[in-house]
Amino acid sequence: MMVETDTGKQVPIQRWFRMALLLSLIFFGACSDTSESVSFSRGLKTTPAAVQLNKDEDQVVIGNGIVSLNLSNPEGYIIGLYYDGTQNILNNKNEEFDRGYLDVVWNENGKPGIFERIDGANFSVIEASDTVVEVSFLKTWTASMKGSSVPINIDLRYILRRGDSGFYSYAIFTRPPGLPAVTVYQIRIVYKLDEDRFHYMAISDTRQRKMPTAEDRRTGKVLAYPEAVLLTHATDPQIRGEVDDKYQYSAENKDNSVHGWIAEDDSVPVGFWVITPTNEFRNAGPVKQELTSHVGPISLSMFTSTHYAGKKLSNEEKKWPYDFIGSKDFIPPSQRGMVSGKLQVKDGGGMAQPAKSSYVGLALPGDAGSWQIESKGYQFWTQTDKDGSFSITNIVPGKYTLYAWVPGFIGNYKYQINVVITPGDNINLGSLVYKPPRNGPTLWEIGIPDRSAAEFYVPDVYPGLVNKLYLKDSKNGFRQYGLWGRYTDLYPKKDLIFTVGVSDYHKDWFYAQVTRSTKTSKFMPTTWQIQFQLENIIKGNYTLQLALASATNSKLEVRFNKPNSNPPYFTTEELIGDDNAIARHGIHGLYELYSVGVDSNQLVKGKNTIYLTQSNAKTPFEGIMYDYIRLESLTTIK
């Protein structure tokens, strides 16, 4: 999910117009008891005090009697954040530019990637009253910055309102004509908290725990990549021997509404939370995974990245879009639109049925499924109810395509007519029917078509590489470190064989087709077999539906009954996928569907074998996660 721009074109980078809200939530009593689970709730302290703005040559301070926000002038770094008279909750041990900041990872064509903290050069006050203050820190790109600063104008804004126990932040990215071409890989705001106070981290009602310290990581053993560390010398004996890895705390966009930390302070218990009221600015749709909080203590507000290409947690989602934003580029509620309709699914010759719990969204026009890799426009998603009805609200005016995918069915839906939203529109598309790919009745199937490999066999964690958070959480057991290595343990010499009608994919289909490690620390390609019986062969074409939940630097080869045939009957030819979901403890990445026509002369009466080979084997992390596999007979269904 990279954002690429072309020289000389006006690119609508305002897609990244960002509303990242942080609220400090009060928890009554001490928060140091890690045995007590924290359930997110809202308990905001209010006060009638007016919002005050003070500035000098080096610093801008905004306060409302509850929160004081200290910003460097004119850079816009958050150098201090004070709640209810407490000391700075950011890490004072860090330099001022390394406590709270916006950064971008980018490169010009053919040049190395650059990590850049964004420095504002021009401070201005957008609004200042007793009830709200909004300030701006603007970086305007000039030719003298070529090669050293991302060629985009960036306006970082902060808002503090009367009575709030937190502040709002957003950024406006614009790119005038004539600027150099650039690829942007990642945009985020980083908050580094006081490491002496914040030890308890929460991602959701079930994913929360006392965390190791940054020093625990520094004294630990780095594993297969720098983010994964075995805590060999952790100061807390309950944590010692665990694995810590920031990717273990990732969340899907649709669930990434709030995350943060609780301070261990008996006198003033306080939480620091990143609350996201909308996902419209995020790329790749509702199920793309993204980073949240991790050891540091650090909290991230991710705009976009190449990573991985629950309950409602606050009232902020209901308040979106806000009515107090000072930017002229912000589209207020009254100027947005709405699209509704009803989605049905008709699979083969069956009756149309409600596409319940389906994901329906608007994104920039493109091919079916293109929303997964789209990063330049806004996206607006919802889920259908039990009768397939949907309503997408608060849509920014523009031209879109309506997309959908239906759990339980393969493929991607695309509404063939572009949807144009103008201010105040309320468009009803009526009844829509999705006909998923199918060329004949099902002979057999493996898995569930839900774009995830979660239903397959996820092995137990290595005892010496455990994260205790997931020991009793089977739903998230795939987040344990090193599970890819279990494949070699289970299949040290011969690869997986799955027998249709005998094997159980919950137990007998490994969650990822990874490489096999050897005694010489090298890696081998793997070939999985699907064995099945055919009583009769009908002349014509059968269809093998291969739905992939993820792929990383993989080359998939398919053969029928001839394990050594060259060339294979079907191949992806080029390497596919770079979502790195295996190494980053994901259970899915980018979805891909291959419909392989199979000539009947490839099949025999009686026992048949399909050979699935992943032929690229350089590291432990090349591999494929299958979503669903189905063999269809050749009878055409209309």
Side-chain angles (χ1 to χ4, degrees), residues 34 59 91 128 145 170 205 279 355-356 395 492 539 589 592 622:
T34 58
Q59 193 170 143
N91 195 344
M145 299 178 181
Y170 68 94
D205 284 350
N279 281 319
K356 60 182 179 180
I395 307 166
K539 296 292 183 181
E592 191 69 59
E622 288 99 15

Side-chain angles (χ1 to χ4, degrees), residues 346-471:
K346 187 176 185 295
D347 188 13
M351 297 290 291
Q353 57 183 293
K356 60 182 179 180
S357 300
S358 299
Y359 291 87
V360 182
L362 294 173
L364 286 185
D367 297 329
S370 62
W371 51 268
Q372 291 188 109
I373 56 174
E374 191 283 302
S375 294
K376 290 183 179 178
Y378 286 94
Q379 295 194 19
F380 303 88
W381 288 86
T382 191
Q383 274 190 281
T384 59
D385 61 20
K386 62 183 179 180
D387 70 349
S389 297
F390 64 89
S391 179
I392 306 173
T393 59
N394 297 317
I395 307 166
V396 171
K399 181 187 291 186
Y400 301 93
T401 290
L402 185 133
Y403 303 97
W405 63 275
V406 183
F409 300 89
I410 61 175
N412 290 287
Y413 173 77
K414 172 186 173 180
Y415 187 59
Q416 294 303 314
I417 302 172
N418 286 335
V419 179
V420 179
I421 301 295
T422 58
D425 272 346
N426 187 346
I427 300 173
N428 190 319
L429 298 178
S431 181
L432 310 176
V433 179
Y434 171 50
K435 297 180 179 180
R438 179 178 286 278
N439 293 317
T442 299
L443 293 176
W444 51 259
E445 58 187 352
I446 300 172
I448 302 170
D450 59 359
R451 302 184 178 228
S452 167
E455 69 269 28
F456 298 125
Y457 179 67
V458 177
D460 292 335
V461 63
Y462 287 105
L465 297 174
V466 69
N467 184 321
K468 293 179 182 177
L469 180 62
Y470 301 119
L471 283 179

Side-chain angles (χ1 to χ4, degrees), residues 160-366:
L160 184 61
R161 301 194 306 160
R162 170 183 278 177
D164 279 350
S165 63
F167 65 92
Y168 299 77
S169 64
Y170 68 94
I172 307 168
F173 286 62
T174 55
R175 186 171 179 273
L179 271 64
V182 66
T183 299
V184 177
Y185 296 91
Q186 177 176 279
I187 305 171
R188 64 183 186 176
I189 297 180
V190 180
Y191 302 96
K192 298 183 177 180
L193 307 182
D194 183 347
E195 61 184 20
D196 294 327
R197 298 179 64 198
F198 290 92
H199 298 141
Y200 194 92
M201 186 183 79
I203 306 301
S204 72
D205 284 350
T206 58
R207 299 171 66 194
Q208 50 183 268
R209 62 169 297 176
K210 184 175 181 180
M211 294 292 287
T213 66
E215 183 63 22
D216 291 339
R217 284 185 56 89
R218 284 190 287 268
T219 59
K221 177 184 177 183
V222 175
L223 298 173
Y225 45 86
E227 292 85 354
V229 173
L230 182 63
L231 305 171
T232 54
H233 295 85
T235 53
D236 185 342
Q238 294 185 356
I239 294 175
R240 195 175 303 146
E242 288 194 52
V243 170
D244 179 74
D245 184 342
K246 67 180 181 181
Y247 294 115
Q248 292 179 319
Y249 305 107
S250 298
E252 294 182 347
N253 283 344
K254 64 182 177 62
D255 302 321
N256 194 356
S257 298
V258 61
H259 58 86
W261 295 80
I262 299 168
E264 292 184 306
D265 188 330
D266 290 346
S267 60
V268 187
V270 60
F272 179 92
W273 308 103
V274 177
I275 299 176
T276 306
T278 178
N279 281 319
E280 65 187 40
F281 64 92
R282 284 178 167 150
N283 63 338
V287 295
K288 179 186 183 295
Q289 297 178 93
E290 197 50 271
L291 297 176
T292 56
S293 291
H294 60 83
V295 168
I298 291 173
S299 284
L300 302 174
S301 179
M302 301 296 298
F303 290 32
T304 186
S305 82
T306 57
H307 299 136
Y308 305 95
K311 293 181 180 179
K312 299 300 182 186
L313 305 178
S314 76
N315 291 324
E316 293 305 318
E317 292 179 353
K318 298 177 182 178
K319 294 180 179 179
W320 183 263
Y322 300 132
D323 58 4
F324 53 80
I325 308 301
S327 171
K328 61 180 177 59
D329 296 307
F330 180 70
I331 308 299
S334 61
Q335 297 300 304
R336 296 182 175 224
M338 173 179 173
V339 170
S340 60
K342 180 179 290 187
L343 182 65
Q344 299 183 84
V345 58
K346 187 176 185 295
D347 188 13
M351 297 290 291
Q353 57 183 293
K356 60 182 179 180
S357 300
S358 299
Y359 291 87
V360 182
L362 294 173
L364 286 185

Side-chain angles (χ1 to χ4, degrees), residues 75-96:
E75 298 86 1
Y77 298 131
I78 306 175
I79 58 179
L81 180 56
Y82 304 86
Y83 174 75
D84 203 21
T86 63
Q87 65 187 44
N88 189 0
I89 68 172
L90 299 181
N91 195 344
N92 273 326
K93 297 176 183 177
N94 290 7
E95 298 291 339
E96 290 188 348

Side-chain angles (χ1 to χ4, degrees), residues 456-593:
F456 298 125
Y457 179 67
V458 177
D460 292 335
V461 63
Y462 287 105
L465 297 174
V466 69
N467 184 321
K468 293 179 182 177
L469 180 62
Y470 301 119
L471 283 179
K472 296 182 180 180
D473 184 357
S474 59
K475 181 180 178 181
N476 286 288
F478 62 86
R479 299 186 187 277
Q480 295 281 13
Y481 176 85
L483 299 184
W484 53 82
R486 284 298 197 190
Y487 181 80
T488 301
D489 299 339
L490 293 170
Y491 305 94
K493 295 182 179 180
K494 295 183 179 180
D495 284 320
L496 181 152
I497 300 175
F498 187 92
T499 303
V500 173
V502 177
S503 301
D504 180 352
Y505 64 76
H506 295 292
K507 301 176 181 178
D508 303 318
W509 190 274
F510 200 74
Y511 79 104
Q513 185 173 2
V514 294
T515 57
R516 182 193 288 107
S517 61
T518 68
K519 293 181 180 179
T520 58
S521 299
K522 294 184 179 180
F523 302 93
M524 297 175 56
T526 53
T527 298
W528 289 9
Q529 298 180 38
I530 302 173
Q531 298 182 353
F532 60 98
Q533 297 285 329
L534 285 179
E535 295 183 2
N536 298 293
I537 303 297
I538 305 173
K539 296 292 183 181
N541 280 334
Y542 292 69
T543 303
L544 180 67
Q545 303 283 10
L546 290 170
L548 308 186
S550 170
T552 299
N553 297 327
S554 295
K555 184 177 181 181
L556 177 59
E557 300 174 355
V558 182
R559 296 173 173 86
F560 294 87
N561 293 316
K562 299 176 182 179
N564 300 314
S565 61
N566 193 17
Y569 186 81
F570 168 82
T571 176
T572 55
E573 297 184 356
E574 304 293 334
L575 295 181
I576 59 172
D578 60 359
D579 56 43
N580 213 18
I582 294 171
R584 289 174 173 161
H585 322 297
I587 202 63
H588 65 81
L590 294 182
Y591 176 83
E592 191 69 59
L593 175 65

Side-chain angles (χ1 to χ4, degrees), residues 56-76:
D56 57 32
E57 292 182 356
D58 300 319
Q59 193 170 143
V60 175
V61 179
I62 314 170
N64 65 358
I66 306 173
V67 171
S68 177
L69 180 64
N70 294 33
L71 306 162
S72 65
N73 185 12
E75 298 86 1

